Amino acid sequence: MVDDPGLRALSEAARLSPDNLPLRRHLAEQLLGKGYLADAEAEFRAALVLAPKDPDIVAGLAEAFVRQSSYGEALSALEPLLAEGGYPPKVGVLAARALLGEGDVHKAAYRYHEAVSRDPSVADADLAGRLVAPPPVVAEPAGPPAGNPPAPSAYMAPSSVTHERSTAEVERSGFSFADVAGMDEVKEALRVKLLLPMQQPELFAAFGKRAGGGVLLYGPPGAGKTHLARAAAGELGAAFVSVGLADILDMYIGSSERNLRATFDLARRHRPCVLFFDEVDALAARRSDMRQTHNRQLVNQFLAELDGVDQNANEGVLVLAATNAPWYIDVAFRRPGRFDQLVFVPPPDADARAAILRILCRDKPLAEVDFGAVAKVTDQFVGADLKGVVDRAVEAKLQESIRAGRPVPLSTRDLLAAAKTARPTSVREWMATARNYVMHANESGAWDDLMPYIQRKW
Ligand code: ADP
């Protein structure tokens, strides 16, 4: 029996107007929030009769089940949403918790990572820590696009496992260029290089040009390279396969090449596909270590895969790579048909910061917010830093909302307060390093985009 007077009053109100969906939903959420799990379950069920497919109600019911350790029932409740795809990321996380409760770590990890890739704010460190899958696994056969979990053997264990495995998964990106603030020139460059040849192949063929070759994105950490690559995939309606090259290098000698091949094959089976390599400098940076010969082989393998065994091998596969340290990249990578285009992803200026903040806040309860004012006090903050500011402000607001018992909207003041306690990560240091490497080494003009930035005072 619920002994909270507020909740009892709400229950009574719901009893008197049983068809009032917002009221029932509110009651169910309150019950769940206060830990009356069985009552919450009953209320969510009642609400579900009124709105059978409402994802929030399904999620609430599933959460009530999960917290009562009724994992099978949680999965049954979630099933219709999961089968349809396009469900809210928090539903994926709930499914992961239920699957984990059922002992299916592989599927749980798949659901979890798929959800977090679509919305990093649903990440749950505790859950993620319990999802370390047992080794060894290679990327064969391919995981299907988001929606259906892959066969367990297709799940690639996270990097904390040091056995042979591929780190790749196939994602469907929910982002497009509209989700990337600023960077108009960068987006335009990618459009010409990647998107137009795919969208208008006849035009390119008429000029005797083939789609292909990769683009190397470089810039300070957190400036949005990964976000941009993911958005490019979404813009094109292509699958997205993301690989940390440092992870591939950490595998046992001899198996890395196989994993690299498996990763390219995975992308080829899902064309059109954006194949994204993060930390591509890892291939070069470690060439001085013990595994030098092995790494050389890996570089060669990488280049061979990039070139493709025949003209059509990589048709429909757009290779993007990102690095914070472009000066380490092997010149062989930059030959025509490989990463022949370098694209600088700059730290955002004030306008771009305001636009990034607006994007980061768009699904939050907002009061009137002056994003320009927040942008002004966040000089040198990159996208990742701004995300930290928003997360911090939201966290504070959440506490306040819990105390108030209703959502208290985010205001300019909250964001300014969060910005005040935050420090930008590394743009100044990155520019100083870039200056050292690049200032007197731009004969070919490869660093033209970067030059104005490193000549400026930071
Ligand atoms: P990088 O790959 O360069 O280290 P990320 O792409 O991981 O940086 O960026 C970190 C986060 O910052 C992203 O997940 C995204 O939320 C945010 N972000 C960065 N740049 C932008 C942008 N231009 N527009 C919107 N969000 C951005």
Side-chain angles (χ1 to χ4, degrees):
M1 181 61 205
V2 176
D3 53 11
D4 178 309
L7 280 178
R8 273 217 303 276
L10 261 183
S11 290
E12 185 53 21
R15 200 179 61 76
L16 292 174
S17 46
D19 294 336
N20 184 337
L21 180 62
L23 180 63
R24 299 215 83 130
R25 180 206 296 259
H26 181 62
L27 170 61
E29 281 163 1
Q30 291 292 314
L31 287 164
L32 186 65
K34 298 205 167 153
Y36 295 103
L37 301 176
D39 297 280
E41 180 195 320
E43 269 312 314
F44 276 120
R45 278 185 199 277
L48 209 54
V49 174
L50 299 175
K53 280 200 152 178
D54 185 312
D56 288 332
I57 298 177
V58 173
L61 178 60
E63 184 174 342
F65 281 133
V66 166
R67 286 170 58 187
Q68 296 176 91
S69 306
S70 304
Y71 303 116
E73 281 166 292
L75 286 170
S76 305
L78 291 170
E79 192 53 51
L81 285 185
L82 296 175
E84 269 182 19
Y87 48 83
K90 68 174 179 189
V91 165
V93 174
L94 271 171
R97 284 169 63 192
L99 285 161
L100 189 64
E102 295 256 281
D104 195 338
V105 183
H106 295 296
K107 282 189 191 163
Y110 174 81
R111 288 288 183 204
Y112 177 76
H113 291 298
E114 198 274 330
V116 173
S117 74
R118 285 196 284 138
D119 179 3
S121 73
V122 298
D124 174 339
D126 181 46
L127 178 60
R130 292 160 57 210
L131 289 176
V132 176
V137 209
V138 187
E140 286 293 339
N148 301 317
S153 64
Y155 174 67
M156 275 54 77
S159 56
S160 54
V161 182
T162 52
H163 296 252
E164 171 189 339
R165 79 246 187 262
S166 166
T167 48
E169 289 174 38
V170 180
E171 290 174 30
R172 288 279 153 188
S173 165
F175 295 113
S176 71
F177 279 165
D179 300 293
V180 181
M183 296 201 216
D184 290 337
E185 286 171 24
V186 177
K187 285 191 245 181
E188 197 46 38
L190 288 183
R191 225 177 240 127
V192 171
K193 176 76 185 173
L194 301 178
L195 306 183
L196 293 184
M198 296 283 293
Q199 288 166 341
Q200 300 181 6
E202 318 77 33
L203 190 71
F204 274 70
F207 285 95
K209 285 190 85 97
R210 271 194 330 124
V215 173
L216 180 63
L217 304 170
Y218 72 97
K225 299 180 287 296
T226 310
H227 185 59
L228 186 67
R230 193 168 265 125
E235 185 79 17
L236 188 60
F240 184 65
V241 172
S242 165
V243 189
L245 266 179
D247 288 347
I248 287 203
L249 279 171
D250 281 338
M251 292 169 206
Y252 285 152
I253 290 180
S255 61
S256 312
E257 283 94 341
R258 257 188 295 151
N259 276 281
L260 199 54
R261 150 118 348 131
T263 303
F264 269 90
D265 284 346
L266 183 71
R268 288 175 189 132
R269 278 197 304 273
H270 286 84
R271 24 181 145 213
C273 181
V274 170
L275 175 54
F276 175 65
F277 290 97
D278 202 1
E279 309 169 83
V280 78
D281 49 279
L283 278 176
R286 301 198 193 176
R287 255 189 299 157
S288 55
D289 75 16
M290 286 167 50
R291 295 176 299 176
Q292 192 172 12
T293 326
H294 171 59
N295 278 359
R296 192 68 244 167
Q297 278 170 15
L298 197 61
V299 168
N300 290 340
Q301 163 92 28
F302 188 86
L303 296 175
E305 294 292 345
L306 205 56
D307 294 341
V309 280
D310 62 57
Q311 272 230 331
N312 302 325
N314 290 337
E315 192 91 43
V317 177
L318 312 173
V319 187
L320 288 179
T323 176
N324 304 331
W327 30 86
Y328 289 143
I329 303 287
D330 199 312
V331 283
F333 277 66
R334 308 242 304 270
R335 303 236 167 87
R338 293 177 179 168
F339 291 105
D340 44 17
Q341 196 163 346
L342 286 183
V343 171
F344 178 46
V345 177
D349 60 16
D351 286 346
R353 288 197 299 276
I356 292 175
L357 285 163
R358 187 168 287 117
I359 286 181
L360 290 170
C361 288
R362 69 185 159 188
D363 55 348
K364 317 269 187 275
L366 283 189
E368 195 71 5
V369 174
D370 181 353
F371 290 108
V374 186
K376 221 179 251 165
V377 300
T378 46
D379 190 32
Q380 296 194 18
F381 281 51
V382 289
D385 299 327
L386 295 172
K387 189 166 185 310
V389 167
V390 172
D391 287 348
R392 197 181 291 209
V394 165
E395 185 59 36
K397 223 59 208 170
L398 208 58
Q399 304 290 352
E400 202 179 318
S401 301
I402 289 170
R403 279 195 299 274
R406 63 186 164 80
V408 183
L410 205 60
S411 68
T412 312
R413 224 168 39 156
D414 301 318
L415 288 169
L416 288 175
K420 209 171 190 173
T421 54
R423 292 274 151 275
T425 41
S426 59
V427 171
R428 181 177 293 145
E429 293 77 4
W430 191 88
M431 289 295 170
T433 311
R435 204 173 292 127
N436 283 340
Y437 278 100
V438 168
M439 198 66 161
H440 303 291
N442 190 34
E443 298 82 15
S444 65
W447 307 110
D448 280 355
D449 293 346
L450 175 60
M451 277 301 172
Y453 285 85
I454 58 177
Q455 282 161 350
R456 212 170 91 187
K457 188 167 169 346
W458 286 87

